[in-house]
Amino acid sequence: MKVFLDTNIFVEYFQKRDQYKYVNKIFKAIEDNKIQGVVSVGCVYTLAYLIRMQFKRINIYRPEQTQRLRETLNTILDLVTVGNINHKHLVTGVNDDLFDDVEDSFQYQCAIQNKCDALVTINLKDFNTSVCTKIDVYSPKDFVSIFL
């Protein structure tokens, strides 16, 4: 099963928020090759920025910051595949009036283009069934309870 992971899944994990234990189970299933994790390149860019900002907040600066950022991103990239998104799908994402958040629309289009079986997100309200008709969307808790 190919599962698209929204960027907020990683934020949930790193900040050990409410659904951390479910996200951890998803990551374990990916490590055990029970499912395949897919992210967008935008996810990697966003995580690079957020992780760097977190390091600054805890007073970690360059060059240590760069080294630790690379280590963290390499860990993520060892876990998941970065899915492609072509021009056509980006244009569709930009112009999809069903999405209020264009970034979420890009994530959805990337999941579709990469033929993912499910999309996992913390942000269910922006990925509701009236908007997402081509892929099933789950919270980490729901995904774990149904598939793992």
Side-chain angles (χ1 to χ4, degrees):
M1 173 179 233
K2 192 186 283 192
V3 180
F4 188 89
L5 304 174
D6 194 5
T7 306
N8 57 39
I9 295 301
F10 295 91
V11 174
E12 191 80 6
Y13 180 82
F14 289 131
Q15 295 186 354
K16 295 188 178 176
R17 293 182 179 173
D18 294 343
Q19 294 197 51
Y20 166 83
K21 69 179 180 180
Y22 303 108
V23 172
N24 194 43
K25 287 181 182 184
I26 293 168
F27 288 167
K28 179 78 170 114
I30 295 170
E31 287 173 347
D32 294 341
N33 294 313
K34 293 179 181 173
I35 60 175
Q36 179 186 356
V38 178
V39 298
S40 69
V41 70
C43 171
V44 179
Y45 294 158
T46 301
L47 289 175
Y49 173 79
L50 293 174
I51 293 165
R52 190 170 65 84
M53 291 298 105
Q54 179 60 25
F55 286 154
K56 279 185 178 181
R57 279 191 287 280
I58 59 174
N59 297 317
I60 298 172
Y61 298 100
R62 295 179 180 157
E64 180 186 1
Q65 180 190 96
T66 302
Q67 180 59 36
R68 288 181 65 178
L69 175 60
R70 287 182 174 142
E71 289 169 1
T72 304
L73 292 174
N74 278 316
T75 299
I76 292 168
L77 294 172
D78 285 343
L79 183 69
V80 298
T81 300
V82 177
N84 293 321
I85 184 165
N86 62 26
H87 184 82
K88 176 186 168 194
H89 281 270
L90 279 173
V91 170
T92 300
V94 167
N95 295 298
D96 190 341
D97 291 336
L98 296 175
F99 280 90
D100 289 330
D101 186 329
V102 174
E103 190 269 337
D104 288 338
S105 185
F106 293 150
Q107 298 286 69
Y108 179 66
Q109 289 298 320
C110 187
I112 291 167
Q113 182 175 336
N114 288 276
K115 297 178 175 44
C116 293
D117 302 298
L119 186 152
V120 179
T121 182
I122 302 298
N123 187 17
L124 289 174
K125 67 178 177 53
D126 285 344
F127 289 97
N128 65 56
T129 55
S130 64
V131 172
C132 300
T133 58
K134 296 180 180 178
I135 190 169
D136 292 326
V137 179
Y138 302 94
S139 69
K141 180 179 180 180
D142 291 343
F143 183 82
V144 166
S145 68
I146 294 168
F147 298 104
L148 303 177

